[in-house]
Amino acid sequence: MFDVDWSRLQEDCINFAQRLIQMPSMPGEEENISILVAEEMRMNKFDEVWQDEIGNVFGRIYGKDRGKGTLILNSHLDHVDPGDLSLWPVAPYSGEIRDDHILGRGACDIKGPLAVQIYSLVALVRAGLKPRRDVVFCGVVEEEIGGAGALYWKENLDYPVDLILLGEPSANDLSLGHRGILQMWVTFNGRSVHSSVPDEGMNPNFALARFLLSLEQRMNNLRAHPVLGPTTVAPTIIDVDTKSVNVTPAKTRVLLDFRTASESSNSLQAFVRKIAGDWPIEISNTFAKEPNTPFKDSEELIYGYYTPADNPAVKKVRKAVVDAVGREPDLIRYKFATDGRHFVDLGVPIIGYSAGQDQYAHTVQERISIPMMLESLKGHLSIIMNY
């Protein structure tokens, strides 16, 4: 369909993905990878390449009609911690290739897809093609810890946007949305005493234990969205306010990770307080800059993002992919949260499309399929040229 040397493009894309994986970029430590991405775009003659004050990196290819809204290819630069290195089948920052897969931390979330986004634009440059509209690659920082980079980009946006394509893992299907995320610290207050006289204190660990058992039994009472799915809650981190082994804690707290498209901050806090009963608790916002910051009152439902299947953008993107790869992508939803949730108030369609497979994300088996990367390169180029 396009005069592209796919073999060379795939080879260069794989090499770039490997170099990205080989450069650790934990949240807050993305400076070097931001420079690497900028250098790759400059080397490949993007029309504009720039970085902003917090380390986000951008590259623009000019379209035939620069008055049209921009097509955004959005990815993030950071990744989660590799954890116990002994559990990995390869060194997590090796980018080793095995059985037609690139392995390593960030391979599918999100450095392999990021490389595909960049090299779908490189394909344009090499083939001397111009898209209908400007296309901007947007690589943001700190997605894995709340999305500061995405928020900064949105708040400082100074050009019109018509469509945002997310690079989060979708197995080359089209993700039309996901539930929102709300994380809260729930602190159980007690009275600390020497552990030899526990009856003289009020040990909050027992209250937390009862709370968690009840939470497990009652979480199905939370509401579900007809398309984006049920509300879920996962207790993740538990800690106490003492490191002394012979002292009962005065405070015990648990982090609750809610995913929902059908509950509000107020309804979830009421749910938690009902389960806690009469025990004195405090609820605070995990993502607040100041510790122990309470949530503001809000009855607004906590959505991630949702682009209906009958949206014209979905139909255009789906047709472009079909034309390029001969396969109709399924319309799916993400199980996890993405930076897409930060872009909803821009009022533009948001669609996830990438070769990554979510079952490998955040695991020691993380990898990305090279054949799927090639299919995704073709799909991206078709979307860019036809949208």
Side-chain angles (χ1 to χ4, degrees), residues 80-100:
V80 296
D81 192 284
D84 185 346
L85 304 187
S86 69
L87 299 177
W88 284 80
V90 301
Y93 298 122
S94 67
E96 184 176 327
I97 295 177
R98 288 188 183 180
D99 300 323
D100 267 346

Side-chain angles (χ1 to χ4, degrees), residues 223-288:
R223 289 173 289 191
H225 185 277
V227 175
L228 301 181
T231 300
T232 60
V233 54
T236 57
I237 301 171
I238 295 175
D239 62 26
V240 296
D241 67 341
T242 179
K243 296 188 182 302
S244 297
V245 297
N246 58 350
V247 176
T248 65
K251 294 179 182 290
T252 299
R253 66 176 187 166
V254 60
L255 194 149
L256 299 182
D257 183 320
F258 288 94
R259 305 299 169 106
T260 184
S262 50
E263 299 283 353
S264 68
S265 171
N266 285 5
S267 70
L268 291 177
Q269 290 183 77
F271 173 74
V272 167
R273 292 188 184 281
K274 185 174 181 179
I275 295 176
D278 294 333
W279 195 279
I281 67 168
E282 298 168 2
I283 298 175
S284 57
N285 185 346
T286 307
F287 289 136

Side-chain angles (χ1 to χ4, degrees), residues 50-90:
W50 72 100
Q51 293 159 282
D52 66 22
E53 294 179 356
I54 67 169
N56 295 329
V57 60
F58 307 90
R60 178 180 277 123
I61 299 292
Y62 295 154
K64 294 176 183 176
D65 184 350
R66 302 208 59 212
K68 289 181 178 290
T70 303
L71 167 57
I72 300 293
L73 304 182
N74 168 262
S75 285
H76 57 91
L77 305 176
D78 58 328
H79 57 76
V80 296
D81 192 284
D84 185 346
L85 304 187
S86 69
L87 299 177
W88 284 80
V90 301

Side-chain angles (χ1 to χ4, degrees), residues 94-350:
S94 67
E96 184 176 327
I97 295 177
R98 288 188 183 180
D99 300 323
D100 267 346
H101 287 78
I102 310 174
L103 279 62
R105 174 55 80 225
C108 76
D109 184 13
I110 195 173
K111 295 181 178 182
L114 187 159
V116 168
Q117 289 186 335
I118 294 288
Y119 270 83
S120 64
L121 294 174
V122 171
L124 290 179
V125 177
R126 290 181 179 177
L129 299 170
K130 272 194 174 294
R132 293 181 176 182
R133 63 186 71 240
D134 281 12
V135 184
V136 170
F137 167 79
C138 171
V140 297
V141 300
E142 297 189 9
E143 186 272 346
E144 296 289 1
I145 57 170
L151 288 167
Y152 187 87
W153 170 72
K154 182 185 70 173
E155 290 162 3
N156 293 275
L157 187 62
D158 59 359
Y159 50 89
V161 171
D162 266 12
L163 174 67
I164 299 174
L165 282 183
L166 305 177
E168 298 286 358
S170 74
N172 285 342
D173 289 322
L174 303 182
S175 179
L176 303 187
H178 61 71
R179 299 166 299 171
I181 179 172
L182 183 140
Q183 293 180 334
M184 64 172 69
W185 281 110
V186 182
T187 302
F188 289 76
N189 296 305
R191 187 171 64 255
S192 177
V193 295
H194 195 287
S195 58
S196 64
V197 287
D199 290 345
E200 295 182 10
M202 191 169 74
N203 193 329
N205 283 337
F206 291 119
L208 175 58
R210 290 190 294 270
F211 172 85
L212 292 176
L213 288 172
S214 183
L215 179 68
E216 183 179 28
Q217 296 166 356
R218 299 166 70 175
M219 65 174 67
N220 289 337
N221 295 342
L222 293 166
R223 289 173 289 191
H225 185 277
V227 175
L228 301 181
T231 300
T232 60
V233 54
T236 57
I237 301 171
I238 295 175
D239 62 26
V240 296
D241 67 341
T242 179
K243 296 188 182 302
S244 297
V245 297
N246 58 350
V247 176
T248 65
K251 294 179 182 290
T252 299
R253 66 176 187 166
V254 60
L255 194 149
L256 299 182
D257 183 320
F258 288 94
R259 305 299 169 106
T260 184
S262 50
E263 299 283 353
S264 68
S265 171
N266 285 5
S267 70
L268 291 177
Q269 290 183 77
F271 173 74
V272 167
R273 292 188 184 281
K274 185 174 181 179
I275 295 176
D278 294 333
W279 195 279
I281 67 168
E282 298 168 2
I283 298 175
S284 57
N285 185 346
T286 307
F287 289 136
K289 292 181 180 179
E290 296 297 325
N292 304 318
T293 301
F295 288 95
K296 296 178 180 178
D297 285 344
S298 177
E299 295 292 349
E300 183 177 349
L301 296 184
I302 304 164
Y303 280 91
Y305 79 89
Y306 179 46
T307 303
D310 61 357
N311 187 292
V314 175
K315 295 178 180 179
K316 282 186 181 180
V317 168
R318 200 178 197 189
K319 182 179 185 305
V321 173
V322 171
D323 290 345
V325 305
R327 177 185 74 84
E328 188 167 62
D330 289 337
L331 302 180
I332 65 169
R333 64 178 177 90
Y334 285 132
K335 300 170 187 172
F336 48 86
T338 74
D339 274 343
R341 70 191 190 274
H342 299 312
F343 307 143
V344 171
D345 56 359
L346 292 176
V348 302
I350 304 166

